[in-house]
Amino acid sequence: MHTALNTSFPRGNTRERRLGKPVAAGAARTLRVRELSGERMAVSSPMKSKRRRLVTAGTILALGLQATAQDRPQDPGASVTILRPARVFDGEAMHDGWAVRVAGTRIEAVGPAASVVSTNAQVVDLAGLTLMPGLIEGHSHVLLHPYNEATWDDQVSREPLALRTARAVNYLRATLQAGFTTLRDLGTEGAGYADVGLKQAVDEGIIPGPRMLVSTRAIVATGSYAPKFAPEWNVPQGAEEADGIESVTHIVSSQIGKGADWIKFYADYRWGPEPAARPTFTLESLAAGVRTAHAGGTPVAAHATSVAGMRNAIAAGVDTIEHGDAGTAEIFRLMAEKHVALCPTLSAGDATAQYAGWKKGQQPEPESITHKRASFKAALAAGVTILNGSDVGVFAHGDNARELELMVAYGMPAVDTLKSATSVAARVLRMDDRIGAIKPGLLADLAAFDGDPSRDISALRRVKFVMKAGIRQR
């Protein structure tokens, strides 16, 4: 964000098998993993002697039937861990005295501690902590850093791509350590397709980080974005420019082909002779782009801060609206009717207001903050689905809990706020068959916090334990 998420996961999670998994004594000879007919199976290494076992077709079949692919709940022979916190928030409700059993990369069982069998399992005592699904960040920019360190213009136009990518590696680690195990990154802001490479590096275990949904370059109307210099200069922009139906649909297809999990449009922006935000694309062009993305199985996010921009985005069929600053009761009712989720990014305005000199807690709220608070309450009243998303990058990566704190401060019940970063977020991002809840069969993406965030949302800052796909990260 300039201020002045066809998701594919490797089947079988071979990376999780390679990195840090305890190996049972009976499996000590297992050195490599082979994929046969879509199933993962362990194959024993050759004996030092010339004797080699012949693996019969029946043995292969038996192993294949036992082996676990990505969409199965457990992995034969995988390490088993019992997590015993004070309470479990399963993505819907809080449960005192529950425990969770993790087998390999997945959750195997959850329920009252006495009912979760701990035989042959490592037990991790999380006394006093709340165990939750790994948190989900719905709007990040890992290739940006706080605007009080360098302006957006300077980052986009003066920082080398290698420097920005190196920073992003650290930011991904900080995000994971903060308990956020999945993020949707909504635009590289002039860094091309660097997010695609970062996602691949995370997936392959080269660097630590959350699961990433990426949107690559994002799409803007020609002349509407930035940076801007002398009019005689044609300088690279913070997003990819498009004009008209043919151009828009071509660029949507191109970005999907280069790795975009989500397409992001700027449905409005501050451009033209007046300072206010106004629509950039015509409704026809925007709708054509959305249809093209959806035809390719790719959801669409739209930056929209004005009533007109939000109305166009809703009519075009987008899946989420980012910011929604000037949303009205009527616009939010329309979003609820059309099942368009709102990613409010409360933290971005809070941060930029402080960068501009507002002393929070010591001075009255700026008008922009008062209006944002009111529009967020209107969205809640209208029943709009809220997806946690902070626009992190405007402020420090790893400080993602700031958004959840502001949601509560602006009137959202704490339990609903937790859902917006777990079960609701997973559903909006089309990942609820893998993450977002603590239930058998889902990936073991988990985080534990000191205290009860349903009573004190600031507990989300006290991260004590993080697990991603069954591997402890913190």
Side-chain angles (χ1 to χ4, degrees):
M1 171 184 168
H2 174 210
T3 305
L5 277 171
N6 278 350
T7 307
S8 176
F9 293 89
R11 291 179 59 82
N13 282 297
T14 55
R15 178 177 62 83
E16 283 81 1
R17 295 187 180 220
R18 289 199 304 267
L19 299 179
K21 281 295 184 187
V23 180
R29 294 183 183 275
T30 301
L31 297 181
R32 52 199 167 108
V33 175
R34 175 176 295 168
E35 186 162 350
L36 180 64
S37 300
E39 303 291 348
R40 300 287 183 185
M41 341 189 299
V43 181
S44 296
S45 62
M47 302 288 288
K48 287 186 177 180
S49 67
K50 293 183 179 180
R51 291 180 300 165
R52 297 178 181 269
R53 292 183 178 181
L54 291 176
V55 182
T56 67
T59 304
I60 292 175
L61 177 60
L63 288 170
L65 290 173
Q66 295 175 22
T68 299
Q70 176 75 8
D71 57 352
R72 295 190 184 177
Q74 54 182 315
D75 183 1
S79 61
V80 178
T81 304
I82 302 292
L83 305 176
R84 295 190 182 277
R87 64 196 70 82
V88 170
F89 179 75
D90 63 1
E92 296 295 335
M94 194 70 75
H95 305 278
D96 290 331
W98 275 26
V100 176
R101 181 181 175 96
V102 174
T105 63
R106 300 207 172 243
I107 298 165
E108 189 174 58
V110 58
S115 70
V116 179
V117 179
S118 58
T119 306
N120 300 321
Q122 176 189 6
V123 177
V124 178
D125 185 10
L126 300 175
L129 306 186
T130 299
L131 185 68
M132 296 178 51
L135 299 174
I136 299 170
E137 169 63 69
H139 188 132
S140 74
H141 294 282
V142 298
L143 287 141
L144 291 176
H145 59 101
Y147 293 177
N148 62 341
E149 296 175 358
T151 66
W152 183 91
D153 277 3
D154 281 350
Q155 292 184 48
V156 173
S157 62
R158 292 182 171 86
E159 292 185 352
L161 177 59
L163 174 64
R164 296 180 67 187
T165 306
R167 281 200 178 103
V169 170
N170 287 337
Y171 300 154
L172 288 168
R173 180 187 299 110
T175 304
L176 183 60
Q177 290 294 303
F180 288 78
T181 54
T182 299
L183 65 79
R184 180 180 63 159
D185 202 68
L186 286 180
T188 61
E189 305 291 344
Y193 295 91
D195 55 349
V196 175
L198 287 165
K199 174 185 175 178
Q200 184 177 353
V202 170
D203 287 348
E204 294 184 9
I206 298 169
I207 61 173
R211 303 177 191 283
M212 294 181 69
L213 299 173
V214 300
S215 60
T216 71
R217 299 176 63 187
I219 303 173
V220 296
T222 299
S224 65
Y225 205 42
K228 296 193 185 306
F229 292 95
E232 295 80 13
W233 297 357
N234 290 318
V235 299
Q237 295 291 284
E240 189 166 9
E241 294 183 317
D243 300 283
I245 292 174
E246 184 176 351
S247 172
V248 167
T249 56
H250 171 77
I251 288 174
V252 167
S253 297
S254 174
Q255 290 190 359
I256 293 172
K258 292 177 180 178
D261 301 304
W262 278 71
I263 290 295
K264 180 186 179 182
F265 282 102
Y266 281 79
D268 63 15
Y269 208 69
R270 302 179 304 275
W271 72 312
E274 300 296 330
R278 65 192 66 253
T280 49
F281 297 102
T282 64
L283 175 56
E284 294 76 14
S285 293
L286 189 58
V290 173
R291 285 195 303 272
T292 301
H294 285 172
T298 307
V300 179
H303 166 114
T305 61
S306 66
V307 169
M310 293 175 73
R311 193 184 304 279
N312 274 359
I314 297 165
V318 304
D319 299 284
T320 68
I321 286 179
E322 313 304 305
H323 314 301
D325 297 351
T328 62
E330 184 267 331
I331 284 291
F332 288 132
R333 283 195 298 270
L334 189 60
M335 286 183 66
E337 290 171 7
K338 300 294 185 181
H339 305 291
V340 179
L342 174 67
C343 202
T345 66
L346 307 176
S347 302
D350 182 76
T352 54
Q354 292 183 66
Y355 299 158
W358 173 40
K359 293 180 173 55
K360 188 175 182 178
Q362 301 176 37
Q363 297 176 338
E365 285 184 349
E367 186 178 4
S368 61
I369 299 296
T370 301
H371 286 168
K372 184 68 175 180
R373 184 188 296 269
S375 72
F376 183 65
K377 287 182 176 179
L380 295 177
V384 174
T385 297
I386 303 297
L387 165 64
N388 169 59
S390 64
D391 214 354
V392 64
V394 174
F395 60 98
H397 295 275
D399 191 23
N400 306 65
R402 178 178 189 163
E403 183 75 12
L404 298 161
E405 290 176 329
L406 286 172
M407 286 185 186
V408 172
Y410 286 16
M412 192 173 187
V415 169
D416 291 343
T417 299
L418 298 180
K419 290 179 183 179
S420 78
T422 55
S423 56
V424 171
R427 186 174 71 250
V428 172
L429 298 181
R430 305 181 181 189
M431 299 182 73
D432 53 326
D433 60 338
R434 285 160 280 172
I435 62 169
I438 300 180
K439 63 181 183 181
L442 296 193
L443 290 167
D445 286 8
L446 304 164
F449 306 89
D450 184 8
D452 182 351
S454 70
R455 298 177 181 272
D456 174 14
I457 198 68
S458 69
L460 295 179
R461 292 190 176 276
R462 300 188 292 274
V463 190
K464 301 299 181 182
F465 173 91
V466 179
M467 175 178 279
K468 180 186 169 194
I471 299 176
R472 185 166 183 173
Q473 306 288 336
R474 176 170 182 162

